Amino acid sequence: SGHVAYNSSVPKTFYLTTTLPYVNAEPHIGFALEITAADVLCRYHHSIGDEVVFNTGTDEHGQKIYQQALAANQDPQSYCDTYAAKFSDLKSQLNLSYDHFIRTTDAHHVSAAQTFWSRCYENGDIYKKTYQTKYCVGCELEKTDSELVDGRCPLHPTKEVELRDEENYFFKFSNYAQALLNHYEAHPDFVKPSYRLKEIKSFVAQGLQDFSISRLKAKMPWGIAVPNDPDHVMYVWFDALINYISTLGWPEPSSEFERFWPGTQVAGKDNLRQQSAMWQAMLFSAKLPPSKQILINGFIGVNGQKMSKSLGNVIAPKELVDRYGIDSTRFLLINLGPFGEDMDVSWERLDQEYTALLVNGYGNLCSRIIRMAQKAELSLPPELPQPTWYQSYQEAMAAAELATALNLTQEAVRNLDQYLSDNKPWTLAAAEQQQILDAALAQLYWLTQALRPVMPTSTQIVLTALDNLSLGISPLFPRLTQ
């Protein structure tokens, strides 16, 4: 796999979804990276002729939202409406190409979640029991003692862990350990990076505990009603995961679901268990095919520290765009490192990379080559031989290895700069000069094609200039002033 087939008579389908951010906070740089990476992959698949569905949206049920809405004297739905708008603003802010924006309060999603529940129930995987649990409201997850540090959740150390004693519905997660392990074994690329697959394998191999999938409506009414039991609403995680198929029109016959599922899911590492084990077990229970692939991202720290509101070091996507512009922000996000690794970011580092890689790198290269070609009154040569690195670039993109693909383009920038320095076309007679510049123009064309999914607007400007070299080009990336 990895080889990209062009013009096959039947277009291939490609479905990719981000996780749905929980609408209790503004979008931050971590989600901006997740959705930009997803967008780059979708634009790439689109460019090779695949039919693409790209889904994102908002996760809107659960206790945290209910409590925050009450605290803000709003009803939960209008509270969600306010925050959902902030996430849908990212579309223009980061020039995203998604075609589905699902909200888990949408009527179709609500009925799909109820159908899904009924299927798992009929297959004997949902039962009721009374239990006592330790619960972190910050995570909206139950915690075992081993997950707590000094009796508190390490992710939310300022919040009291609640003890809860209640009757809930449970999902028989324990029924699916073997099916999950078999699936991981048969699909070694199911979770990437590979060390995350190892992590989930060892979690599942230790044995699975059934998990609670409902809440008493009397205590927490903000959720989807459980079919045939007016006293319970679905637990937020159970309902939210179902969006990946409800957005495709499931369970309606002849919906996009039949053509596009299974799909690829992009998620943060705090979501590994829900995406690659809980959701897959739920799909097995509902007798539906498991996901195609789960791409797990790392966390982004700022100056060596975890991003947090209390430290005041949260970087918002809008701040990046205000400083660098949309295309450059997209480039800088993808350039942070291999998808999956934890990354560290600082304004200083971003400024350096913007200047080195875009202003003095790709941007300067475009200006130089186009200016020389314009002066020599050349046009884009009719033959544009594909450079040797382009095949590796395509394989990296097909394997969703964006950092590898971006590194290949950066190497191509350096090599092309070197080629011009070595051959000094400005010193040559017209015929030799044309030979050197034709080769440079062909390289620049393919380099620009490779950068298109990352920087759609700037690359379009370059391609337009290459089409009509007499027009020339103005600098693509302004220098930073302060």
Side-chain angles (χ1 to χ4, degrees):
S1 78
H3 290 273
V4 177
Y6 279 90
N7 308 330
S8 51
S9 51
V10 181
K12 286 176 25 198
T13 56
F14 180 73
Y15 169 45
L16 187 118
T17 177
T18 68
T19 44
L20 299 191
Y22 207 42
V23 291
N24 66 326
E26 309 262 341
H28 59 71
I29 188 173
F31 183 68
L33 171 62
E34 178 176 318
I35 201 164
T36 303
D39 188 66
V40 170
L41 285 169
C42 287
R43 283 177 184 272
Y44 174 74
H45 279 273
H46 209 270
S47 76
I48 59 171
D50 290 351
E51 271 190 70
V52 176
V53 169
F54 174 12
N55 177 58
T56 188
T58 43
D59 176 2
E60 306 187 3
H61 292 119
Q63 174 125 14
K64 238 188 308 195
I65 298 206
Y66 183 62
Q67 287 177 342
Q68 286 181 324
L70 291 183
N73 277 328
Q74 279 185 294
D75 76 289
Q77 185 64 62
S78 54
Y79 177 86
C80 289
D81 292 347
T82 312
Y83 272 97
K86 296 182 194 223
F87 281 93
S88 92
D89 285 348
L90 282 179
K91 186 165 196 175
S92 56
Q93 211 173 79
L94 293 168
N95 188 12
L96 304 169
S97 62
Y98 61 78
D99 27 11
H100 286 212
F101 186 93
I102 188 172
R103 300 180 54 184
T104 56
T105 48
D106 293 343
H108 174 79
H109 173 75
V110 169
S111 75
Q114 290 170 326
T115 302
F116 194 100
W117 174 291
S118 300
R119 284 204 183 182
C120 298
Y121 187 82
E122 283 153 22
N123 291 331
D125 288 326
I126 293 180
Y127 63 95
K128 219 176 195 180
K129 77 163 184 183
T130 302
Y131 76 114
Q132 190 180 57
T133 178
K134 293 177 175 165
Y135 190 82
C136 170
V137 174
C139 292
E140 296 269 8
L141 282 174
E142 293 157 22
K143 296 290 171 177
T144 59
D145 287 335
S146 64
E147 291 174 291
L148 302 173
V149 177
D150 300 328
R152 296 200 170 215
C153 167
L155 294 173
H156 300 95
T158 58
K159 287 188 163 55
E160 291 279 344
V161 168
E162 296 181 9
L163 273 181
R164 300 188 166 184
D165 205 355
E166 57 181 64
E167 185 181 56
N168 284 173
Y169 284 95
F170 277 73
F171 176 74
K172 281 192 189 168
F173 199 22
S174 55
N175 275 0
Y176 291 98
Q178 199 51 54
L180 287 167
L181 292 171
N182 294 347
H183 186 71
Y184 302 150
E185 212 47 56
H187 301 88
D189 275 348
F190 180 63
V191 177
K192 288 177 86 165
S194 56
Y195 55 87
R196 295 286 176 216
L197 181 66
K198 260 199 202 113
E199 197 180 312
I200 198 65
K201 268 185 183 170
S202 79
F203 169 76
V204 173
Q206 287 163 19
L208 297 175
Q209 301 293 310
D210 296 349
F211 57 88
S212 152
I213 55 169
S214 77
R215 295 290 176 261
L216 284 170
K217 192 172 182 177
K219 290 190 186 175
M220 211 291 294
W222 184 239
I224 294 177
V226 166
N228 308 318
D229 190 338
D231 295 336
H232 284 260
V233 295
M234 286 181 207
Y235 170 47
V236 59
W237 270 109
F238 191 87
D239 116 59
L241 290 164
I242 297 163
N243 93 81
Y244 302 134
I245 61 174
S246 69
T247 192
L248 297 173
W250 185 89
E252 303 308 316
S254 72
S255 58
E256 284 180 323
F257 175 78
E258 287 166 20
R259 292 189 50 230
F260 285 91
W261 186 258
T264 302
Q265 291 163 219
V266 183
K269 68 177 181 182
D270 52 340
N271 241 289
L272 174 67
R273 203 180 292 183
Q274 292 91 326
Q275 307 292 326
S276 59
M278 291 158 81
W279 169 230
Q280 305 311 317
M282 287 162 60
L283 286 163
F284 288 146
S285 172
K287 307 278 188 276
L288 294 171
S291 307
K292 186 159 137 198
Q293 192 171 47
I294 318 278
L295 305 173
I296 295 288
N297 201 6
F299 283 167
I300 299 181
V302 178
N303 286 324
Q305 287 183 299
K306 194 182 161 189
M307 233 190 324
S308 78
K309 279 192 211 157
S310 55
L311 287 172
N313 66 350
V314 175
I315 294 179
K318 187 178 181 314
E319 296 176 88
L320 295 171
V321 171
D322 288 345
R323 184 155 179 80
Y324 307 113
I326 297 177
D327 266 11
S328 307
T329 293
R330 291 168 59 98
F331 177 93
L332 292 168
L333 286 170
I334 301 299
N335 192 56
L336 283 174
F339 198 81
E341 307 281 326
D342 283 346
M343 303 162 180
D344 193 66
V345 71
S346 65
W347 286 107
E348 190 185 16
R349 175 189 161 179
L350 291 168
D351 281 358
Q352 281 170 352
E353 288 175 356
Y354 172 78
T355 302
L357 302 178
L358 293 176
V359 181
N360 301 336
Y362 176 67
N364 183 47
L365 184 66
C366 291
S367 301
R368 278 178 78 191
I369 294 175
I370 289 169
R371 208 168 41 239
M372 286 190 279
Q374 185 183 25
K375 208 170 158 187
E377 296 183 355
L378 300 179
S379 51
L380 193 62
E383 294 292 304
L384 295 166
Q386 206 178 74
T388 47
W389 61 267
Y390 203 81
Q391 178 75 41
S392 311
Y393 159 82
Q394 289 181 311
E395 286 169 14
M397 290 299 281
E401 284 161 9
L402 298 183
T404 307
L406 199 59
N407 286 340
L408 286 164
T409 68
Q410 296 318 291
E411 209 178 311
V413 169
R414 291 190 293 273
N415 291 342
L416 194 41
D417 262 327
Q418 193 60 52
Y419 175 76
L420 294 172
S421 304
D422 292 349
N423 288 285
K424 302 189 171 48
W426 52 92
T427 65
L428 302 175
E432 290 167 71
Q433 185 183 49
Q434 175 165 2
Q435 201 184 344
I436 301 296
L437 288 178
D438 277 357
L441 286 164
Q443 283 281 349
L444 184 61
Y445 171 83
W446 288 106
L447 169 59
T448 301
Q449 289 291 359
L451 284 169
R452 262 180 102 171
V454 181
M455 298 192 288
T457 311
S458 320
T459 50
Q460 194 48 63
I461 293 169
V462 177
L463 291 170
T464 305
L466 287 173
D467 255 350
N468 187 349
L469 286 162
S470 63
L471 295 172
I473 192 170
S474 49
L476 291 169
F477 307 104
R479 291 194 176 278
L480 296 172
T481 46
Q482 74 289 11

